[in-house]
Amino acid sequence: MTIYEELGVPTLINAAGTYTVIGASRMSEETLAAMCEAARSYVTLERLQEAVHRRVAELTCNESAFLCNSCSTAIYLAIAACAARHYGRSFGNLSPEEIGKCEVIALWGQHIPYDHAIEQLGVKLCFLGYPNMEAPFDRRILEEAFHEHTICCYFASRTPSGYYGEECMNLAVFRDVAHRAGVPVLVDGAAQLPPKSNLWHFTRDMGCDMACFSGGKDLAGPQASGLLVGKKEYLDIVASLGFPKYGCGRLMKIGREEIIALYSAIRQYVAADEDARLQWCENEVRKLLDALHCTKHFSAERTWPNQAGQPLPRAFVALRNTSLSPSELRRMLEEGTPSIICYSENRPGVYVNPMCLAEGEMEQIANRFLELDHILEKGGNAI
């Protein structure tokens, strides 16, 4: 009996992607073995961090790196480092009034729940622009937003290179304007892996000061882990504030197990063959398209890129010749055997994302759609 069976919690096939609410990703056997090995021995945490951070910086072609317990923690600590640098004093010696004067510039089109990590520090968020990132954006709006208490510019990238199109506020322009004002840039690349080159593209190649990533998404490290990379002058401050130091990040605990597991996951990720993975995903999508091409109530097509703008294909399975709603289809998939999770994204069907699938799971998904097609043909809606 598995632990999930003992608890009465059904497992599922993740055909949605690296969403936190369904577990994001699966750690490899190598990562799991490293995590177990780490748990068997005691170490001085700061010595471990020093060694791992140095090695991760080398692996990701960055000046420095810091592993923490979430991407939100990485954001929180990065902004704290910017505040300390702004005043030229230790963050712990800043008064609430001084922290409250600090302002971080961001874009309305990138406003997400995770930017609350910035406000939790006590600084202000100033949003510019429009809800639609694809709208033309006059760079003067950004140029005129800076003042004496602007400590950082925050860019939540939703494309692999932060590019939204001509006349839009793209990352390259955002960086140029910020740096001309002497203000650092933090790139939130939580879900912007792949490509793995983003581990160094935002910082080394584009010159942004820091970039953060989820450790539990495509890196396939522990769910509660995060990675911050970038310039040493900022990361040194982060290290002075983060766990286990008695700074503002002390409460954001990360253990030796998560540190070693994320280190192992990063090492594997950098060494992995991206072309082979892309081809595997293409093959999985083709399996579903081929399986459903003669069904009466479904039609499937390849789509690109996936929901997070990552350069991987998905399949969209559209409903046809039926009054079944997308929500009913999702319920039938989730409550069936096997239980399959996928999302509709406000379209009349469901997306099937291969990026989190294991061998053989796409065949199970295809068979379930074939079963549902037979049920619908008979006029039923049972699971």
Side-chain angles (χ1 to χ4, degrees), residues 27-349:
M27 287 186 279
S28 71
E29 293 302 315
E30 182 177 341
T31 300
L32 290 168
M35 192 173 195
C36 289
E37 182 181 347
R40 295 189 183 103
S41 301
Y42 293 103
V43 294
T44 301
L45 196 65
E46 291 178 68
R47 292 189 65 178
L48 173 64
Q49 288 176 309
E50 181 181 346
V52 168
H53 293 163
R54 181 175 62 251
R55 181 63 179 132
V56 170
E58 294 170 357
L59 286 168
T60 62
C61 306
N62 280 281
E63 290 183 15
S64 191
F66 187 84
L67 278 60
C68 51
N69 69 353
S70 69
C71 193
S72 294
T73 292
I75 295 170
Y76 180 93
L77 292 173
I79 299 301
C82 290
R85 179 181 176 274
H86 175 75
Y87 283 107
R89 307 205 319 272
S90 170
F91 185 85
N93 290 331
L94 300 182
S95 68
E97 291 75 21
E98 288 175 312
I99 295 170
K101 290 178 181 178
C102 294
E103 189 168 283
V104 175
I105 291 176
L107 302 174
W108 266 121
Q110 298 176 349
H111 185 21
I112 51 177
Y114 310 110
D115 57 39
H116 289 305
I118 296 173
E119 294 176 312
Q120 286 176 350
L121 188 68
V123 305
K124 300 173 184 175
L125 262 171
C126 173
F127 288 105
L128 306 176
Y130 317 100
N132 180 5
M133 277 299 296
E134 286 73 34
F137 190 107
D138 190 331
R139 61 185 293 162
R140 287 176 297 183
I141 297 173
L142 177 58
E143 291 170 342
E144 294 170 358
F146 295 98
H147 56 76
E148 61 177 323
H149 293 298
T150 303
I151 65 167
C152 183
C153 284
Y154 168 80
F155 191 97
S157 185
R158 294 183 190 170
T159 65
S161 62
Y163 183 78
Y164 289 86
E166 296 296 331
E167 300 184 11
C168 300
M169 180 46 67
N170 296 304
L171 177 55
V173 178
F174 194 76
R175 172 211 60 206
D176 287 348
V177 175
H179 282 177
R180 282 199 186 94
V183 174
V185 174
L186 168 64
V187 179
D188 182 347
Q192 289 309 314
L193 297 171
K196 63 184 174 185
S197 59
N198 273 358
L199 290 168
W200 54 86
H201 175 68
F202 294 132
T203 48
R204 187 195 69 179
D205 298 344
M206 296 194 71
C208 296
D209 302 273
M210 291 176 282
C212 54
F213 303 91
S214 170
K217 292 188 182 293
D218 208 53
L219 281 174
Q223 174 81 81
S225 66
L227 170 65
L228 181 67
V229 297
K231 292 183 178 178
K232 188 175 186 298
E233 64 176 303
Y234 295 99
L235 272 292
D236 283 351
I237 301 174
V238 166
S240 74
L241 299 174
F243 181 83
K245 299 294 197 324
Y246 286 104
C248 62
R250 170 72 187 190
L251 71 165
M252 301 165 185
K253 183 179 290 188
I254 184 171
R256 65 193 187 280
E257 302 88 353
E258 291 85 9
I259 291 172
I260 288 295
L262 181 54
Y263 164 62
S264 176
I266 293 169
R267 185 177 58 191
Q268 295 167 61
Y269 196 79
V270 171
D273 185 337
E274 280 189 319
D275 292 335
R277 187 205 186 179
L278 172 60
Q279 189 57 57
W280 186 87
C281 289
E282 293 283 13
N283 293 342
E284 295 300 294
V285 168
R286 174 49 54 187
K287 286 178 185 177
L288 186 61
L289 269 57
D290 289 345
L292 302 187
H293 81 282
C294 287
T295 54
K296 180 176 180 180
H297 300 287
F298 302 110
S299 63
E301 65 176 351
R302 175 189 178 275
T303 65
W304 180 278
N306 68 16
Q307 74 285 347
Q310 298 158 326
L312 292 173
R314 292 187 296 174
F316 180 71
V317 180
L319 288 158
R320 63 176 185 174
N321 303 319
T322 176
S323 60
L324 195 70
S325 69
S327 60
E328 290 170 329
L329 173 59
R330 292 197 307 273
R331 177 186 62 81
M332 295 172 79
L333 289 167
E334 183 174 354
E335 296 180 1
T337 303
S339 177
I340 301 165
I341 295 291
C342 34
Y343 296 142
S344 297
E345 299 174 26
N346 297 316
R347 292 193 63 192

